[in-house]
Amino acid sequence: MPEDETRTLSPAREAPATPAEPPASTPQRPVWITRLVVVGLVLAALNLRPAITSLGPLLEEVRTGLGMSGSLAGLLTSVPPLCFAIFGLTAPRLARRFGPGAIICAGMAAIAAGLVLRPFAGGAAGFLAASALALMGIAVSNILMPVIVKRWFPDRVGSMTGLYSMALALGTALAAAATVPMTQALGGSWQTGLAVWGGLAAVAVVPWLILSRHRSTGAAAARSATQGQETPGLRITRSPTAWALACFFGLQATAAYITMGWMPQIFRDAGVSAGTAGVLLAVTMAMGIPLAFVIPRVASRMRTQGPIVVVLGLCGLIGYTGLFLAPASGAWAWAILLGISNCAFPLALTMIGMRARSGAGVVRLSAFAQSTGYLISIPGPLLVGVLYQHSGGWGLPIGLMAGLMVPQIVVGMLAGRNRTIEEELR
């Protein structure tokens, strides 16, 4: 009798999972393909921030060379989240048609082309247009990275998210620290110093070109993305958790892009040299290298992620307070604290994977949370530029940055509750 009951009840328990995508590991997939996916994730992640952090240490030279005002420079620092929001919305549809591997491959190619072209495009408009091309590639890759992880490594979401988050932080820090020395070594031209990062993106095209031609990451992945778009009864905008996650993503992105775009200038205005300001930004970004690997692993083992949200938010509040009171004398401490606070990004990515049960849900939640979040983050860097220009100092901008930490903690705690969007919407 127990045996009969087991046979009878097992299908009923497994039925809800039937529409979901097939398991990530199948006998038809060669081991080398899985390893190439890991290599592709790491290389792609390395290229998701140099377009932004390579600009911060040279922002003053770029402003002078292109004749930009403080407000226009603020607009330049707002371009990344704007592009991420607009182009990120297209990622699920493109993935459904061509497969996530092919879209990430195209994204890496767009990053390489944009980075090479933008310093030599001529004028502020050309610089912005070429930057938008690179950022378009980053946008679609941002959305699809959690999808690739969920599909290929469903039982290792935390560790794989940590791996590519660590690579992302490494690329971010490397660009911040190395751009000024490389510029000086290459003759002192800011154009060359910015363009050289296109080579790293070109390398990342190779594994994704191979993967996009392989059936398991092409047609099969495209079908998975199609399921994610056509799953009935999953209206993402009705999920409180999806909105909380989008707001949390948006506020952490606001802090991150203000930091990447303006922190070197804050230190330079406090009397720190350009090279040291770049290294300080690199320290901030480098904090994410170990923590971006540790935090997702810890978060994935916790029922709720609220405690991590609070710790990261408090580090941000202390860092901004120090930046206001003693920007030069305590520069290294503030850089470290703000680097810890910026690790809200890998936490948000981890929660995207945890707040949906299936690959279909992750596709939709990733697109919604990231695109909506980047829309929320757009005014922040621009407002900092305007406040800086009109107030003549950093008091008001830093006050704004610190104030935004409070709602970030609140919505992060809501997003970290132990529930999924499927539970809420069904």
Side-chain angles (χ1 to χ4, degrees):
M1 182 65 179
E3 215 173 296
D4 292 338
E5 285 178 352
T6 302
R7 282 195 293 266
T8 303
L9 294 176
S10 291
R13 283 196 297 268
E14 293 174 5
T18 303
E21 60 187 273
S25 298
T26 64
Q28 289 78 20
R29 290 177 178 171
V31 174
W32 71 269
I33 285 288
T34 303
R35 291 174 179 171
L36 192 60
V37 171
V38 176
V39 173
L41 282 171
V42 170
L43 286 175
L46 284 170
N47 284 281
L48 293 182
R49 292 299 178 269
I52 304 163
T53 54
S54 63
L55 180 59
L58 294 176
L59 184 58
E60 188 170 311
E61 287 76 11
V62 174
R63 284 174 58 189
T64 303
L66 299 178
M68 288 183 175
S69 65
S71 297
L72 186 56
L75 176 62
L76 183 61
T77 58
S78 292
V79 168
L82 175 63
C83 290
F84 293 169
I86 293 173
F87 296 119
L89 290 171
T90 68
R93 181 176 297 180
L94 292 170
R96 182 175 73 240
R97 182 170 181 182
F98 302 105
I103 300 308
I104 294 179
C105 179
M108 293 299 109
I111 294 170
L115 290 181
V116 171
L117 291 173
R118 74 174 179 176
F120 309 105
F127 190 92
L128 287 169
S131 295
L133 175 62
L135 294 167
M136 175 180 66
I138 297 173
V140 294
S141 302
N142 273 337
I143 299 297
L144 295 177
M145 296 282 269
V147 178
I148 293 287
V149 168
K150 185 73 170 183
R151 176 169 178 78
W152 282 83
F153 311 99
D155 55 339
R156 288 183 284 163
V157 170
S159 59
M160 292 307 300
T161 301
L163 178 64
Y164 86 74
S165 297
M166 184 172 62
L168 189 152
L170 177 61
T172 305
L174 184 64
T179 297
V180 170
M182 263 197 320
T183 300
Q184 293 169 348
L186 294 171
S189 168
W190 62 265
Q191 288 95 337
T192 306
L194 291 180
V196 72
W197 293 104
L200 182 62
V203 173
V205 172
V206 177
W208 290 106
L209 188 61
I210 298 170
L211 289 167
S212 65
R213 294 175 177 273
H214 194 271
R215 232 176 6 182
S216 65
T217 53
R223 284 196 299 272
S224 172
T226 303
Q227 291 171 351
Q229 287 293 301
E230 296 176 356
T231 302
L234 201 62
R235 296 187 179 181
I236 197 78
T237 55
R238 293 186 178 181
S239 166
T241 295
W243 278 108
L245 191 50
C247 291
F248 178 67
F249 197 96
L251 289 169
Q252 68 79 27
T254 300
Y257 288 111
I258 289 174
T259 299
M260 287 186 280
W262 288 109
M263 197 174 83
Q265 191 65 50
I266 295 174
F267 285 129
R268 291 182 71 172
D269 287 352
V272 177
S273 68
T276 303
V279 172
L280 286 166
L281 178 60
V283 168
T284 299
M285 300 299 109
M287 291 305 300
I289 297 173
L291 292 179
F293 187 70
V294 172
I295 288 176
R297 291 172 65 89
V298 173
S300 64
R301 295 172 184 171
M302 299 174 66
R303 289 178 60 83
T304 63
Q305 290 73 48
I308 302 178
V309 170
V310 172
V311 170
L312 298 181
L314 290 176
C315 286
L317 283 171
I318 297 170
Y320 286 128
T321 302
L323 202 59
F324 176 79
L325 295 175
S329 58
W332 296 99
W334 317 141
I336 290 170
L337 285 168
L338 291 174
I340 296 172
S341 179
N342 278 349
C343 288
F345 175 71
L347 177 61
L349 292 179
T350 306
M351 288 196 288
I352 288 174
M354 296 179 68
R355 297 288 90 89
R357 286 184 172 178
S358 65
V362 172
V363 171
R364 302 185 74 170
L365 182 58
S366 181
F368 175 77
Q370 293 200 49
S371 294
T372 305
Y374 284 126
L375 279 174
I376 292 170
S377 72
I378 290 170
L382 177 59
L383 185 56
V384 166
V386 172
L387 289 174
Y388 171 57
Q389 181 173 346
H390 290 283
S391 68
W394 287 107
L396 287 176
I398 292 174
L400 171 67
M401 301 176 210
L404 290 176
M405 282 287 110
V406 178
Q408 178 178 316
I409 293 173
V410 173
V411 294
M413 292 180 68
L414 293 175
R417 293 176 297 176
N418 183 29
R419 60 184 64 189
T420 64
I421 57 170
E422 289 89 351
E423 291 171 349
E424 291 182 337
L425 298 175
R426 291 175 185 171

